[in-house]
Amino acid sequence: MQNKIKKSFFIVILLCATITAFYSYKNHRLPVPAFPLQRQVLEDALSKSGLVWEIAEEEVVKDGHILYTLNNSQGQPSAFVSSVESSGKRILQINFLTSKGSPSNIPQKDWEKAVSFATILYGGFRNQTQVYDNFRQTCDEKAVIDDVPGVPSEFRERIRWENELNGVTCFLGFGVRQKGGGLPEAELVSLIFSETKD
């Protein structure tokens, strides 16, 4: 009888531990850093995302708004990271530099790393691949192709993808040098994450 009680007690404890672990995992979110982002947060996100870049410059644009310049592994400027908190909304914008006739700073094989970098910087997502995974799953239905209006540009078309995840509007912008090239020929140009609330 005592063995049955011990066995039942052990099963109940094991079941409780399993349920607790499941809900802890399910509700786990990436940490949400304070905005504007501090240098150490960027360094950690670069390391976790696998981008082999370094912070070259930090500029305080105004109170609550910091702009970082990132260099690639060859020491060339590759991206600008802007973070600001305005009216209680956190806004992250990353612009990747492109130059006509040069290979992209973010080749397609590194798109996931770039989006993971932004996801870590913004925080609050389930994991660092949540935004990229959602982009991959929904790009056919949510990607919109626009002609580039007005002034001459190195890009003939722009592709924009936008979706709301966890109360955050996530925007990915791409440029295409030839009309009709679509995502297979696109370059990742910008990422913008902002809280959806007004």
Side-chain angles (χ1 to χ4, degrees), residues 50 54 57 74 84 89-90 113 116 121 142 161 182 191:
E54 63 181 34
E57 193 176 321
Q74 287 80 40
V84 64
K89 280 177 80 167
R90 296 178 315 123
K113 292 178 184 177
S116 291
L121 288 178
K142 292 199 170 278
W161 174 89
L191 297 164

Side-chain angles (χ1 to χ4, degrees), residues 4-189:
K4 282 187 176 183
I5 293 172
K6 284 183 182 179
K7 196 174 192 178
S8 296
F9 181 72
F10 178 73
I11 290 171
V12 169
I13 295 293
L14 185 61
L15 185 60
C16 288
T18 303
I19 290 170
T20 302
F22 172 75
Y23 280 105
S24 295
Y25 174 77
K26 187 177 178 185
N27 294 321
H28 176 73
R29 300 274 184 222
L30 292 174
V32 177
F35 271 45
L37 295 168
Q38 299 303 307
R39 184 183 197 96
Q40 187 62 52
V41 174
L42 264 77
E43 289 173 352
D44 292 345
L46 284 168
S47 175
K48 289 175 185 170
S49 67
L51 285 174
V52 188
W53 289 0
E54 63 181 34
I55 301 168
E57 193 176 321
E58 176 181 335
E59 178 185 351
V60 177
V61 180
K62 60 181 178 179
D63 282 347
H65 185 187
I66 297 180
L67 180 69
Y68 293 94
T69 303
L70 304 181
N71 286 356
N72 64 18
S73 56
Q74 287 80 40
Q76 300 163 324
S78 296
F80 297 110
V81 177
S82 167
S83 62
V84 64
E85 183 165 352
S86 176
S87 303
K89 280 177 80 167
R90 296 178 315 123
I91 302 167
L92 172 69
Q93 182 167 352
I94 303 175
N95 292 315
F96 300 101
L97 300 176
T98 61
S99 57
K100 203 168 185 173
S102 297
S104 171
N105 279 309
I106 298 288
Q108 284 195 21
K109 67 181 179 62
D110 289 338
W111 285 2
E112 182 174 358
K113 292 178 184 177
V115 178
S116 291
F117 173 61
T119 304
I120 294 165
L121 288 178
Y122 202 83
F125 293 97
R126 242 187 353 257
N127 56 50
Q128 72 183 49
T129 64
Q130 182 183 359
V131 177
Y132 186 77
D133 292 344
N134 187 266
F135 160 70
R136 294 286 304 206
Q137 292 165 3
T138 65
C139 65
D140 288 340
E141 68 183 77
K142 292 199 170 278
V144 177
I145 299 174
D146 298 317
D147 284 335
V148 177
V151 297
S153 168
E154 61 190 285
F155 297 119
R156 300 289 303 280
E157 289 179 336
R158 289 192 180 123
I159 299 174
R160 53 190 164 87
W161 174 89
E162 189 173 324
N163 205 5
E164 183 184 328
L165 299 167
N166 303 356
V168 177
T169 300
C170 304
F171 172 90
L172 279 64
F174 302 86
V176 185
R177 296 184 194 279
Q178 295 183 358
K179 281 191 167 225
L183 279 171
E185 295 182 26
E187 291 185 33
L188 183 57
V189 177

